[in-house]
Amino acid sequence: MSVVTRKLVMKELYVNRWMIGSAGVGAALAAAVAPLGKTAFNVGALTWLTVVIAYGAMLAIHGVMNERKEQSLQFVLSLPISIGDYVRAKLLGLFLCFLVLWTIAVTAAIAMVLIAPDVPDGLLPFTLALSLYMLTNFAVLLCGALYARSEGLVTAVIVITNMAISIFMFTVGAMPEIQDHLHSPTPVWNRTIFNVFIVELIVLVIALALPLATAARRRDFL
Amino acid sequence: MTLTKHIEMRGVGKAYRFFSLQDISFELEPGQVMGFVGPNGAGKSTTIRLAMGLIAADVGEIRVLGCPMPEAQAFAKRDVGYVSADMRLIPGATLGWHMNLAASIYPSWDAAYAATLIRRFNLRAEQLARSLSHGEHIKAALLLALARRPRLLILDEPTTGLDPVARHELLTEFMDVLRDDSRSILFSSHNTVDVERISDRITFLDRGRIVASSDKEEFLERWRRIEVQLPQGGTLPELPHIVGRASDGHFHTLTTNQFSDELVGRLGNTVRNVQRMTLEEIFVANVMYHREARQ
């Protein structure tokens, strides 16, 4: 990785630092509120999900769409980099930005499940599957945002990936091999949950590799 | 020893749905300032973006500082400063952050010169880019480009939307760049006054084509407006190199792009006045002549 690409990766962390900080605090607070009762659990879980989803969408909008719209892309591309370097830096930089918040949010959620006496530990496998799904979902969103040139298309990708989270919760959460163990006192790590992890990881890798094979090879980027 | 040309374009073309750039060929030598003049939509920005490797040509060959574009853009752009009127810095970062970024990327970064420019342009390092006005944005982008001391400056309408004082400040800085004759500037504008002030070579573009390219002095020497008053019943002789004519009764105004004493001699004592033309007049006459010739 060239010096300029490294600088651009760091640039993403710098310009999004306030968003990372505030979203991190928001997700941690939401997880902290969840064990305080049934209503608090629902409010906390919903807030936690909203913070992570909204943060991902904001990153795609600010980091990719607005950079193009507000013409700062021209400044970045005037630096000694190729289109491929730009796509690599953007992909890595924004993914790192998401990863920082994701790590905070997931750590808080795991801690909440394991520490809170009223929250069953059986929720842990599904919490991890959902968390990994959200990471994958962001990678898909980023892939779409880097590929799409129009604002409308990026918005469509945001809407579709957001809807996909609800679909994931309703379908994966309803699988008997998972649903039956959600209220268990100890986590149950069965073949189904591992298969979910494997599929998520495969999609994650594809979503991260795709922009390098498509957007990075573009000859016209403006 | 042959010096590497700073920009070479040969037969470059780029087609869009409603616009196409056709057969663009020109060279920019070290130490030269080329003014790219054209009306809105002439293809100036497209040509400049091609030179910067931001878009790729459909046909033709582009080399910048000897590097093929866009393939070797990462290497070529180490020595190219690019500023465009619609370019914006990163909104959430300060000018100081941008300066640190440039200093860490370009070994040639001149911190003392950057400090001089920041004072001269009345900017502040701690200002967030999103709080800069249009003029301040252009000045900040120029500061970042100039303080790197690049061999080639590519400026796309940098004076557009600036007040006369700001324009004067920027043009003065460009003149300063040219004290080093190994550096060159490609400068696009539809403001012919700015172009005339700093350019030594001028290329006119219209509707995606180069309509003329020459030294500034050559343009100014070759183009003339000749006012003729014919006697009763007199007719204008057939004259070469007349690219425009307007008539009002016995009075005729001829525009030539190849002025010579011989031409005046052929008109004899019917000539009432011979006027030098400004670059703007030459530009307009040139564009109109080529548009009519194409129709």
Side-chain angles (χ1 to χ4, degrees), chain A residues 4 7 11 14-15 70-72 74-75 77-83 219-222, chain B residues 14 49 54-56 71 73-74 77-78 82 84 86 88-91 97-98 104 106:
Chain A
V4 189
K7 297 277 176 194
K11 174 216 109 179
Y14 172 77
V15 296
E70 291 167 1
Q71 306 277 12
S72 48
Q74 274 200 65
F75 169 75
L77 290 180
S78 76
L79 300 172
I81 52 166
S82 63
I83 304 298
R219 284 164 63 80
D220 289 359
F221 210 74
L222 280 184
Chain B
K14 177 82 183 167
R49 286 174 179 189
L54 306 181
I55 51 175
E71 295 80 10
Q73 61 172 298
K77 286 189 291 192
R78 294 188 312 176
Y82 169 64
S84 153
D86 53 12
R88 291 289 173 267
L89 303 183
I90 296 157
W97 180 88
H98 284 86
S104 67
Y106 303 102

Side-chain angles (χ1 to χ4, degrees), chain A residues 55-132:
Chain A
Y55 172 76
M58 295 283 278
L59 271 185
I61 292 168
H62 281 290
V64 184
M65 215 159 77
N66 285 1
E67 190 162 276
R68 184 180 287 276
K69 210 165 108 182
E70 291 167 1
Q71 306 277 12
S72 48
L73 178 60
Q74 274 200 65
F75 169 75
V76 177
L77 290 180
S78 76
L79 300 172
I81 52 166
S82 63
I83 304 298
D85 294 332
Y86 171 79
V87 172
R88 271 188 288 279
K90 187 55 77 178
L91 189 68
L92 191 57
L94 290 181
F95 191 71
L96 270 178
C97 287
F98 190 81
L99 206 58
V100 173
L101 177 270
W102 184 84
T103 306
I104 295 168
V106 174
T107 306
I110 292 171
M112 183 272 292
V113 171
L114 295 179
I115 296 168
D118 295 337
V119 179
D121 288 2
L123 207 55
L124 189 64
F126 182 70
T127 304
L128 280 180
L130 178 64
S131 300
L132 189 56

Side-chain angles (χ1 to χ4, degrees), chain B:
Chain B
M1 192 180 75
T2 315
L3 283 172
T4 306
K5 291 185 173 59
H6 281 187
I7 300 181
E8 287 176 88
M9 285 204 187
R10 302 246 173 284
V12 172
K14 177 82 183 167
Y16 293 99
R17 195 170 167 204
F18 297 111
F19 170 77
S20 65
L21 202 66
Q22 293 170 57
D23 197 24
I24 300 293
S25 300
F26 71 93
E27 290 176 352
L28 179 68
E29 306 276 352
Q32 215 171 43
V33 183
M34 179 179 277
F36 241 40
V37 185
N40 295 329
K44 303 185 294 292
S45 295
T46 304
T47 308
I48 280 178
R49 286 174 179 189
L50 284 164
M52 281 300 293
L54 306 181
I55 51 175
D58 298 336
V59 290
E61 188 191 354
I62 304 170
R63 299 185 86 84
V64 170
L65 300 171
C67 303
M69 299 296 267
E71 295 80 10
Q73 61 172 298
F75 187 81
K77 286 189 291 192
R78 294 188 312 176
D79 236 341
V80 180
Y82 169 64
V83 176
S84 153
D86 53 12
M87 175 196 273
R88 291 289 173 267
L89 303 183
I90 296 157
T94 62
L95 175 57
W97 180 88
H98 284 86
M99 289 164 73
N100 287 337
L101 175 74
S104 67
I105 291 173
Y106 303 102
S108 56
W109 178 259
D110 186 338
Y113 184 39
T116 305
L117 287 176
I118 210 165
R119 278 194 305 274
R120 200 172 293 168
F121 290 162
N122 197 26
L123 296 167
R124 284 176 302 281
E126 61 276 13
Q127 254 181 302
L128 272 177
R130 72 161 63 90
S131 72
L132 298 171
S133 68
H134 172 73
E136 287 174 330
H137 235 114
I138 298 279
K139 286 178 183 176
L142 270 165
L143 179 156
L144 294 168
L146 291 169
R148 287 158 43 187
R149 305 251 183 226
R151 274 200 290 159
L152 170 62
L153 263 179
I154 296 184
L155 309 167
D156 188 9
E157 311 246 11
T159 54
T160 302
L162 296 185
D163 61 71
V165 177
R167 272 173 49 212
H168 172 80
E169 283 175 332
L170 296 193
L171 293 173
T172 306
E173 281 314 315
F174 301 156
M175 304 292 272
D176 210 41
V177 167
L178 297 165
R179 286 189 192 149
D180 178 349
D181 60 12
S182 66
R183 300 166 76 190
S184 58
I185 300 180
L186 176 65
F187 177 93
S188 92
S189 181
H190 51 250
N191 185 330
T192 49
V193 176
D194 292 345
V195 172
E196 188 168 358
R197 190 168 155 202
I198 70 161
S199 306
D200 46 31
R201 193 165 175 84
I202 289 167
T203 297
F204 291 135
L205 269 105
D206 185 46
R207 295 181 178 173
R209 292 169 193 257
I210 289 180
V211 293
S213 186
S214 178
D215 288 344
K216 178 177 73 182
E217 293 308 323
E218 211 178 305
F219 269 124
L220 296 172
E221 282 308 312
R222 280 194 342 228
W223 284 73
R224 287 286 189 283
R225 191 177 290 124
I226 307 168
E227 290 175 2
V228 174
Q229 184 182 5
L230 294 176
Q232 192 71 36
T235 54
L236 274 173
E238 275 300 311
L239 295 168
H241 313 304
I242 298 299
V243 296
R245 60 181 74 207
S247 302
D248 181 11
H250 299 301
F251 294 95
H252 300 266
T253 304
L254 307 175
T255 306
T256 177
N257 62 357
Q258 294 287 339
F259 178 74
S260 64
D261 291 338
E262 190 206 331
L263 192 67
V264 177
R266 288 174 73 168
L267 287 163
N269 58 7
T270 60
V271 175
R272 288 289 165 267
N273 194 11
V274 177
Q275 290 176 339
R276 291 180 78 92
M277 294 170 71
T278 64
L279 195 64
E280 180 156 324
E281 290 167 333
I282 295 170
F283 164 57
V284 173
N286 215 327
V287 164
M288 296 316 291
Y289 169 64
H290 281 90
R291 283 186 185 179
E292 281 165 20
R294 262 188 255 159
Q295 280 165 3

Side-chain angles (χ1 to χ4, degrees), chain A residues 129-154:
Chain A
L130 178 64
S131 300
L132 189 56
Y133 182 81
M134 291 176 88
L135 188 65
T136 303
N137 202 56
F138 175 72
V140 172
L141 168 59
L142 193 53
C143 172
L146 280 169
Y147 188 78
R149 291 190 192 203
S150 77
E151 205 172 315
L153 206 53
V154 176

